[in-house]
Amino acid sequence: MKYIFQITFFFVMSYTYCQERNFEILGKDLAKAIIKNDSVSFYSLILPKEAIIEKFKTEAEVKLEKEEIDSGIKNINENYTNIISSTYGLSFFSLNAKTTIFKLDLLKANFKIVDSEETKIDTNIFAIQGEIEHKKFTHFTFYASEFKGKLYLASHLINISEVNKFDERATLKKVKLSTDHNGNLIAQGKIELDSINTPKKNILNCILNSPTTVGVKENSKHKNISNDFEYIKSQWRYPYYINNSSDFAGMVEFKYEFKITDGTIYYNYYDFKHDKDDSTFRSIGILPFKVNETVLEVFSEKEYQEIIEEIYLNQVLTIKRIKQFSNNCFK
């Protein structure tokens, strides 16, 4: 079996070093490297190859045969430099450009340890947040890990941003497609704003004046919604493609509702519908959560999975835009 080595997010860490506040040293060193456009110093902060091999061996011992472990270690040794360059290189370029253009003073950032979705799942993950004094970009976030008594960058997800990326990732990970009582596709959840006490009427007006809602049909009190909520109802339609985007598959239509209370937007996307438009595929109507006979009369199982994945991606991007725009309204 061939194992392809990938550097993704996180590696082992000891909280002993957190208590010694080494996270502040890492934060300051990272800030200096970005400001000075010092790529050599930046790459020296990344978790070394030896640490990745050590973690791989620890996890692989109970899952893989010796030959497979040896193959994995060889893969790490051969590909570490190239993967580090490709994953971290773009991040470093972007961070330096943003710092230079907006004249960000990263050296004055105040760093602290925070909880994130990752730390809830794995207590060995260490999330660091820096606060920047700037009217637009106030968040400086990254992940760290310990190796031989020193903290290193454990992910290329290093962000200087308007919003707290830890919170944003937590919201987006909660975006799920599910089924209603008839087996039809829906997407339901909530968006919690940074300003948790923002009045619901203010949130409503913010959304109505944003590009995140198009063709709003109703924004008044709904007869089935209590006075604790503001209400928005609308629908949207967009084209989609299958077979690696080579074949036009028709249009996806859907309806959505927002119930808005102080600091929170509850969303409900439903009645996802396939219309053939001028494609060669027959319309199948309301989309089921799982493939059924009606779907298979028009699409293969693989093609329908592409459609569902496209809808999911669209949902994630939509929720991300709503959260970003709404947070920006109340800075």
Side-chain angles (χ1 to χ4, degrees):
M1 184 181 296
K2 185 178 180 181
Y3 288 86
I4 304 300
F5 165 61
Q6 291 182 326
I7 295 177
T8 51
F9 279 13
F10 312 106
F11 305 95
V12 177
M13 182 201 76
S14 167
Y15 277 95
T16 301
Y17 299 99
C18 302
Q19 295 168 0
E20 294 177 359
R21 306 184 71 79
N22 281 0
F23 64 91
E24 293 184 336
I25 297 174
L26 177 59
K28 296 298 182 184
D29 288 345
L30 175 59
K32 290 176 185 177
I34 293 170
I35 292 171
K36 295 180 179 180
N37 195 22
D38 185 352
S39 60
V40 174
S41 294
F42 174 77
Y43 282 110
S44 73
L45 302 176
I46 300 171
L47 198 70
K49 177 171 59 179
E50 292 75 17
I52 298 169
I53 291 176
E54 184 177 292
K55 177 177 173 59
F56 171 75
K57 290 171 64 177
T58 300
E59 294 185 347
E61 282 178 353
V62 296
K63 300 177 182 178
L64 306 177
E65 300 294 333
K66 182 180 183 304
E67 294 78 10
E68 294 171 329
I69 295 175
D70 291 342
S71 176
I73 293 173
K74 179 181 178 182
N75 189 277
I76 295 172
N77 279 314
E78 291 176 350
N79 293 284
Y80 173 85
T81 301
N82 289 336
I83 293 177
I84 285 293
S85 297
S86 61
T87 55
Y88 283 84
L90 185 59
S91 292
F92 179 68
F93 174 80
S94 175
L95 292 164
N96 174 256
K98 183 177 288 186
T99 300
T100 302
I101 292 170
F102 293 98
K103 297 180 173 59
L104 303 176
D105 190 354
L106 302 183
L107 292 177
K108 291 185 178 179
N110 295 313
F111 296 100
K112 61 183 177 182
I113 304 167
V114 298
D115 291 328
S116 71
E117 285 299 297
E118 292 76 22
T119 62
K120 294 176 183 177
I121 297 171
D122 186 346
T123 56
N124 290 326
I125 296 168
F126 184 30
I128 303 174
Q129 179 180 348
E131 297 178 355
I132 307 171
E133 292 185 3
H134 190 267
K135 63 181 180 180
K136 184 176 178 69
F137 300 105
T138 57
H139 298 277
F140 185 12
T141 54
F142 54 94
Y143 298 94
S145 179
E146 181 272 336
F147 181 65
K148 293 185 177 179
K150 183 177 179 181
L151 287 180
Y152 292 91
L153 297 173
S155 168
H156 67 284
L157 296 178
I158 306 164
N159 297 104
I160 298 172
S161 52
E162 298 178 66
V163 300
N164 186 322
K165 286 295 182 178
F166 294 141
D167 290 345
E168 181 179 80
R169 290 186 193 113
T171 297
L172 298 183
K173 283 187 175 183
K174 293 176 182 176
V175 176
K176 306 290 183 183
L177 299 181
S178 57
T179 178
D180 65 11
H181 61 281
N182 292 318
N184 298 325
L185 181 68
I186 59 173
Q188 297 177 328
K190 66 179 180 179
I191 303 170
E192 295 179 318
L193 304 187
D194 292 346
S195 301
I196 60 175
N197 295 319
T198 303
K200 56 183 180 291
K201 191 69 175 181
N202 293 3
I203 300 174
L204 172 70
N205 291 334
C206 172
I207 293 175
L208 293 177
N209 288 304
S210 79
T212 58
T213 53
V214 181
V216 172
K217 288 189 171 183
E218 181 178 341
N219 63 301
S220 59
K221 290 289 190 300
H222 190 274
K223 63 181 181 180
N224 294 323
I225 304 297
S226 74
N227 291 331
D228 293 333
F229 294 91
E230 295 289 348
Y231 181 76
I232 292 176
K233 181 178 181 180
S234 190
Q235 62 185 39
W236 189 238
R237 170 184 170 97
Y238 64 94
Y240 62 101
Y241 297 79
I242 57 176
N243 298 323
N244 295 319
S245 300
S246 63
D247 299 324
F248 175 53
M251 304 293 290
V252 164
E253 302 176 357
F254 60 86
K255 299 175 183 177
Y256 65 86
E257 299 175 344
F258 296 156
K259 293 194 303 181
I260 305 167
T261 188
D262 292 355
T264 305
I265 304 167
Y266 296 87
Y267 60 84
N268 178 27
Y269 291 81
Y270 61 101
D271 282 358
F272 287 88
K273 185 178 181 181
H274 168 250
D275 175 45
K276 70 181 297 294
D277 198 63
D278 60 357
S279 74
T280 59
F281 298 92
R282 191 172 76 250
S283 299
I284 62 175
I286 298 295
L287 298 181
F289 179 62
K290 296 182 178 180
V291 175
N292 59 21
E293 292 182 2
T294 301
V295 170
L296 293 177
E297 290 175 358
V298 180
F299 298 105
S300 69
E301 187 169 350
K302 178 179 179 296
E303 289 171 336
Y304 192 66
Q305 184 61 39
E306 285 188 58
I307 294 171
I308 296 299
E309 289 174 356
E310 177 69 22
I311 291 173
Y312 172 73
L313 178 60
N314 182 71
Q315 287 300 123
V316 171
L317 294 176
T318 297
I319 298 306
K320 179 178 179 179
R321 287 195 294 267
I322 293 171
K323 183 176 177 67
Q324 286 179 336
F325 192 91
S326 298
N327 280 328
N328 288 339
C329 278
F330 309 110
K331 281 192 172 182

